């Protein structure tokens, strides 16, 4: 592309390149699996030098904090926060599952973002001060990815799923199940309004080679 000027030497880049807002600026978050993290402008030119190696977990999101920092979970189970000067602040949680998932969102409805983890069969939510909000255990292994879904009434719910049991759950901020869930299906869900009736629809596939569609009322 005209103006693209990425000149940096990196290892294997197998994760998606992600667009993030960092310190109020739109930037690209690029990482390899050896721990190199580069933050560039839209032309691929390095803008921030990250001062230590850190490898994001495969199922973590990269989130902006109210202070403009970036926060995510790494493969060791630590929460990492990159500051505008490139310094990395880490908090070790020692999650046992390398495929754990991490979401930075308001889990208890108090207006502040919290830390939500999937680790094996457990879904756990902590405040930003690491006080436990809830711990919910499932009967089957959960996939690491956590989706935050906005419903027609502006309510936000968490979507967690299990390939093992071919189920998906929508969970309220307090960890309780949304009415009617779990239902069948285990792929990342798509949410849209298909019938123009004011209701959102949940579309996903299952491990039984079927596609499922649900109306969320």
């Amino acid at each position: 592309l005209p103006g693209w000027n990425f000149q940096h030497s990196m290892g294997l880049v197998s994760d998606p390149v992600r667009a993030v807002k960092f310190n109020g600026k739109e930037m690209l978050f690029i990482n390899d699996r050896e721990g190199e993290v580069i933050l560039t402008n839209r032309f691929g030119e390095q803008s921030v030098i990250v001062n230590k190696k850190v490898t994001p977990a495969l199922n973590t999101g990269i989130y902006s904090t109210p202070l403009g920092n970036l926060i995510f979970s790494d493969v060791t189970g630590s929460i990492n926060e990159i500051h505008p000067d490139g310094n990395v602040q880490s908090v070790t949680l020692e999650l046992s599952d390398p495929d754990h998932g991490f979401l930075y969102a308001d889990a208890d409805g108090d207006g502040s973002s919290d830390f939500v983890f999937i680790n094996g069969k457990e879904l756990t939510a902590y405040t930003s001060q690491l006080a436990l909000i809830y711990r919910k255990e499932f009967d089957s292994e959960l996939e690491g990815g956590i989706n935050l879904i906005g419903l027609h009434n502006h309510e936000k719910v968490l979507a967690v799923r299990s390939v093992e049991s071919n189920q998906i759950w929508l969970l309220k901020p307090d960890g309780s199940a949304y009415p009617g869930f779990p239902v069948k299906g285990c792929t990342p869900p798509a949410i849209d309004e298909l019938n123009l009736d004011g209701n959102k629809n949940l579309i996903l596939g299952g491990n039984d080679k079927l596609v499922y569609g649900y109306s969320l009322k």
Side-chain angles (χ1 to χ4, degrees):
L1 294 175
W4 181 253
N5 188 32
F6 187 84
Q7 301 289 336
H8 315 292
S9 177
M10 299 189 72
L12 176 63
V13 179
S14 56
D15 292 3
V17 174
R18 286 170 268 208
V20 297
K21 180 165 282 189
F22 183 42
N23 197 26
K25 299 177 182 178
E26 298 291 338
M27 303 185 71
L28 300 178
F29 184 103
I30 306 170
N31 67 279
D32 63 24
R33 299 314 296 172
E34 286 75 51
E36 189 77 23
V37 174
I38 292 178
L39 287 156
T40 76
N41 62 18
R42 66 181 63 187
F43 299 109
E45 298 164 336
Q46 186 166 355
S47 299
V48 176
I49 299 174
V50 179
N51 73 347
K52 80 172 195 177
K53 289 197 170 186
V54 57
T55 305
L58 292 174
N59 290 305
T60 186
I62 311 292
Y63 305 99
S64 297
T65 73
L67 296 177
N69 303 334
L70 292 180
I71 194 165
F72 58 92
S73 177
D74 69 21
V75 292
T76 70
S78 297
I79 299 172
N80 297 272
E81 190 168 350
I82 302 178
H83 295 259
D85 60 2
N87 286 321
V88 180
Q89 180 181 359
S90 299
V91 177
T92 301
L93 294 181
E94 298 181 350
L95 300 177
S96 60
D97 188 345
D99 293 330
H100 71 268
F102 173 65
L103 175 72
Y104 180 66
D106 185 3
D108 54 8
D110 67 353
S112 299
S113 291
D114 305 301
F115 302 146
V116 184
F117 292 94
I118 281 178
N119 191 42
K121 296 182 179 181
E122 282 191 346
L123 177 73
T124 310
Y126 299 92
T127 67
S128 57
Q129 287 75 43
L130 296 181
L132 181 66
I133 300 173
Y134 64 77
R135 177 176 287 112
K136 185 178 181 68
E137 187 167 354
F138 295 78
D139 293 330
S140 53
E141 292 282 333
L142 300 175
E143 295 302 295
I146 311 172
N147 297 94
L148 184 65
I149 295 174
L151 302 182
H152 61 279
N153 56 3
H154 304 295
E155 181 182 10
K156 290 188 176 180
V157 294
L158 304 183
V160 299
R161 51 200 170 81
S162 170
V163 172
E164 181 181 323
S165 64
N166 192 32
Q167 289 179 301
I168 185 169
W169 292 260
L170 294 190
L171 303 175
K172 296 181 179 181
D174 62 3
S176 62
Y178 193 77
F181 284 83
V183 294
K184 288 186 177 181
C186 61
T187 66
I191 302 290
D192 207 344
E193 186 179 330
L194 300 181
N195 299 320
L196 302 180
D197 59 0
N199 292 323
K200 291 287 185 75
N201 297 99
L202 175 73
I203 310 295
L204 70 163
N207 64 9
D208 48 9
K209 301 181 181 179
L210 297 177
V211 175
Y212 294 92
Y214 302 96
S215 178
L216 303 177
K217 297 182 179 181

